[in-house]
Amino acid sequence: MSQPPVPFLDLQAQHRQIRDEVFAAWEDICHSCRFAQGPPTQVFEREFAAYCGTQHCVTCNSGTSALHLALRVLDIGPGDEVITVPMTFIATVWAISYVGARPVFVDIDPARRTLDPARLEAAITPRTKAIMPVHLYGMPADMAPIGEIAARHNLSVIEDAAQAHGARYRGRRAGQWSRVACFSFYPGKNLGAYGEGGALTTDDEALASRARRLREHGQSRRYYHEELGYNYRMDSLQAAVLSAKLKRLDAWNAARQAHARRYDTWLAGLPVTRPAFFADTESVWHLYVIECDRRDEVREKLAAAGIETGLHYPVPVHLQQAYAHLGYQAGDFPHSEALARRCLSLPMFAEMTEAQQQRVVAALAEALK
Ligand SMILES: Cc1ncc(COP(=O)(O)O)c(C=O)c1O
């Protein structure tokens, strides 16, 4: 009898743990009919700010919106440059374009797979306004040297923490290393909604209140619009799901960390590059990404063996058609390009069993032969 596939991610297993709590909260919300940014949204904002160790959390309707709001509240716009990495989900870079600023890329450090501080200073110009490191795959970027360089040049730092809820670097959580940090609650994230959602966190009261105004049509009083705004509100149903999940997030992240350790042990000896561990950093392993030769062939063999995998991401942003106008070429960011060519994301979710992990490793060993 053939075995069921090993899924890349099993959201149903997570749903089963919280369904009674979520449905009870949803019943209350439906009863109150306060769907748009109702009381559960404010409750979640308080909870998530406390979780991240920041003064404020402003929820919105996606991580992309959070990044857009972050750049708006810092008054970044046409003529400005924002430094980020090409190896990210494209939304990081969209946000820079949305405000009319120019994205400037810096390659990743190949071990950490996040913005390489050693290359940062060379990319700073008189037009640079902000640095946007991405905590890729759940691994915080090397924030101490990035912060030092930013301070020296009087630049803001915005963390793209869309993949790193709860991750720590030198004891402090993602969100505590910048003026504004942005999170995504897309369903597959470590903390995921049952639809779309996002948030920014900050310690700056003025930035938080401006973000609150911008996400609601630029108004602080109903129908009095002070500046160009958006409809970026989070709905109450999503906030209730996020509150239910937040209580379990540390346990789920710990399970992911145990899976990552196990993969690391079990994959030793195979001809793959395993993700690195760093003593001062706790990744939350949003993704467990190995690198290997003949990646597409290996991936097809795994699929045939019933192992679902992902590619994060097959084309770095500087080589995307949408960004051809920036004038970057293949070869400009060799570490990002090598990771894009060789990356393979193995199944990773809190509820994954040891038996499932064993099957992944056995199928991978076979596929690499
Ligand atoms: C690194 C990164 N930045 C930004 C985003 C955008 O978040 P969302 O999909 O919630 O708009 C994502 C999510 O996919 C992401 O992974």
Side-chain angles (χ1 to χ4, degrees), residues 15-275:
H15 174 60
R16 282 193 290 275
Q17 299 169 54
I18 58 168
R19 56 166 284 162
D20 292 348
E21 199 175 328
V22 167
F23 288 167
W26 280 8
E27 191 159 9
D28 288 347
I29 294 166
C30 293
H31 199 67
S32 75
C33 289
R34 296 179 70 183
F35 296 112
Q37 209 170 269
T41 321
Q42 283 106 60
V43 170
F44 175 69
E45 288 186 346
R46 282 195 296 276
E47 292 170 347
F48 195 63
Y51 179 84
C52 294
T54 56
Q55 293 293 315
H56 308 280
C57 165
V58 181
T59 53
C60 57
N61 62 353
S62 73
T64 308
S65 307
L67 290 161
H68 186 190
L69 290 174
L71 290 160
R72 279 290 317 273
V73 298
L74 292 171
D75 285 321
I76 292 166
D80 296 337
E81 292 177 355
V82 178
I83 296 175
T84 190
V85 283
M87 194 53 181
T88 182
F89 180 61
I90 201 162
T92 316
V93 190
W94 288 151
I96 301 169
S97 304
Y98 291 167
V99 297
R102 183 182 175 84
V104 172
F105 296 119
V106 165
D107 208 354
I108 54 168
D109 162 353
R112 201 179 257 278
R113 292 139 160 198
T114 56
L115 193 147
D116 185 351
R119 296 167 196 273
L120 180 53
E121 219 147 10
I124 295 173
T125 75
R127 289 178 298 282
T128 308
K129 286 284 156 35
I131 304 166
M132 217 195 257
V134 180
H135 304 323
L136 197 69
Y137 311 148
M139 172 72 75
D142 198 359
M143 294 306 292
I146 293 171
E148 276 162 31
I149 295 167
R152 208 177 318 129
H153 293 268
N154 202 19
L155 304 175
S156 296
V157 178
I158 302 167
E159 284 164 89
D160 183 340
Q163 304 188 355
H165 322 74
R168 284 182 197 274
Y169 170 85
R170 304 198 180 173
R172 276 154 67 183
R173 282 224 155 113
Q176 289 184 299
W177 284 94
S178 57
R179 279 191 84 189
V180 188
C182 301
F183 293 85
S184 163
F185 305 122
Y186 183 76
K189 294 291 194 279
N190 290 33
L191 181 62
Y194 281 11
E196 304 283 346
L200 62 81
T201 57
T202 181
D203 285 333
D204 187 322
E205 162 67 37
L207 295 186
S209 75
R210 180 136 180 246
R212 290 206 161 88
R213 184 167 81 202
L214 290 173
R215 80 172 161 189
E216 220 181 348
H217 300 289
Q219 63 183 13
S220 348
R221 215 164 29 122
R222 208 160 189 204
Y223 304 135
Y224 291 82
H225 307 278
E226 291 146 45
E227 59 179 328
L228 175 68
Y230 315 95
N231 177 359
Y232 280 175
R233 291 178 297 243
M234 174 179 278
D235 71 70
S236 305
L237 298 170
Q238 302 310 330
V241 172
L242 294 168
S243 284
K245 286 194 175 184
L246 185 60
K247 292 178 205 148
R248 294 150 171 102
L249 180 60
D250 281 341
W252 289 338
N253 281 344
R256 287 172 181 269
Q257 285 162 346
H259 300 331
R261 285 274 170 207
R262 209 172 296 117
Y263 268 141
D264 191 59
T265 307
W266 290 354
L267 295 176
L270 293 185
V272 299
T273 305
R274 309 192 305 281

